[in-house]
Structure formats: C-alpha cells, structure tokens
Amino acid sequence: MSRLLAFLRALLRRVGGGAPLCDTCRYDYGTACMRPERPNAYKCPDYKRG
C-alpha cells in the first residue's frame, strides 16, 4: 500500500499537483539559487531537501 501511495505522489508531482520545490530547498536563501524557475520550480536538477 505504501508503494502505491509513493507512486501516486510522484505522479502528482510530475503533473504539477504538488507544492513548488523551492519552499523546501536547501538553497532557498539570498542569491544561492539563480535558476529562472525560482521560486516556483516543480523540477530542479539542483534540488536538495533542506
């Protein structure tokens, strides 16, 4: 059951159903992140949970 929930959450994130990553990213301060998607990125190669 938990694998199914994890799959569904990942699927929702891919279609934009989750919260932006920037709010929980380690690099969400000052000028640490200069990506143009910021602060509303749903996909980011540099994302690290902070």
Side-chain angles (χ1 to χ4, degrees), residues 31-50:
T31 57
C33 178
M34 300 301 288
R35 292 202 166 266
E37 303 91 349
R38 187 173 198 264
N40 299 313
Y42 288 95
K43 292 169 101 178
C44 181
D46 298 331
Y47 177 75
K48 300 280 188 248
R49 188 157 187 89

Side-chain angles (χ1 to χ4, degrees), residues 2-3 5 19 43:
S2 63
R3 291 180 74 191
L5 287 174
K43 292 169 101 178

Side-chain angles (χ1 to χ4, degrees), residues 3-39:
R3 291 180 74 191
L4 177 60
L5 287 174
F7 171 76
L8 290 174
R9 285 184 186 132
L11 186 62
L12 282 174
R13 275 193 297 263
R14 287 182 185 246
V15 296
L21 295 175
C22 299
D23 295 339
T24 59
C25 184
R26 174 181 306 178
Y27 306 116
D28 187 30
Y29 65 90
T31 57
C33 178
M34 300 301 288
R35 292 202 166 266
E37 303 91 349
R38 187 173 198 264

